[in-house]
Amino acid sequence: MRNQRRKGARRFSAGGVPGERRRCTSEVGEFIVGLTEAERAERYAMCLDLVRQLAVYCRRKAVKLPARSPNDLLDWVERGVRNKQGAWQLGRPEVDWIVEQMRQAYKTTLDGFEDLENLK
């Protein structure tokens, strides 16, 4: 009785398929785990746009709150970004990268370089 399939149930093979991404096969097709190159490029563009927005936001807040040191301001913005991680559907590595790039971009603007278009 335990080897019988339920009516309408599909067979599933947990065997891996060689390739770059982890995959599972079944009667219905192939399930790929992870991002495609197009999805990865889209997320990178989204994160880069967020870095630019945050650098501008930090600069605006620095003018409004001159009593705050640059490090205090960046820590404050970082906490805000980390608190919104779930709402923005960001993974931890993405948030870490965004925060690092935001700090670098903000410090670059403090040194008089305001070319955020060339941020990498």
Side-chain angles (χ1 to χ4, degrees):
M1 184 87 171
R2 67 180 189 201
N3 288 335
Q4 292 180 345
R5 283 183 6 170
R6 291 179 302 176
K7 186 176 181 178
R10 300 186 187 270
R11 271 186 267 172
F12 177 75
S13 170
V17 178
E20 275 186 43
R21 295 173 280 196
R22 294 178 298 177
R23 301 175 181 175
C24 307
T25 57
S26 74
E27 284 182 359
V28 223
E30 183 178 73
F31 301 97
I32 300 173
V33 178
L35 298 174
T36 64
E37 289 304 315
E39 291 168 332
R40 186 179 312 278
E42 183 180 331
R43 295 212 45 101
Y44 175 77
M46 178 200 62
C47 290
L48 190 57
D49 182 54
L50 187 54
V51 167
R52 290 181 179 134
Q53 290 178 44
L54 289 169
V56 171
Y57 176 77
C58 287
R59 195 170 30 182
R60 214 173 48 237
K61 285 297 180 183
V63 171
K64 264 187 169 176
L65 307 168
R68 268 198 183 188
S69 74
N71 283 334
D72 287 345
L73 179 65
L74 290 168
D75 290 344
W76 178 65
V77 173
E78 178 179 348
R79 280 192 303 276
V81 170
R82 292 194 186 281
N83 287 338
K84 292 183 180 181
Q85 176 179 346
W88 290 345
Q89 298 179 349
L90 296 169
R92 185 177 180 146
E94 289 172 321
V95 170
D96 292 342
W97 184 84
I98 288 167
V99 167
E100 179 186 333
Q101 295 298 313
M102 174 200 65
R103 286 179 177 276
Q104 187 176 12
Y106 180 72
K107 287 179 181 172
T108 301
T109 60
L110 283 180
D111 294 336
F113 302 104
E114 303 209 8
D115 188 13
L116 294 178
E117 290 301 315
N118 292 325
L119 183 65
K120 292 182 183 178

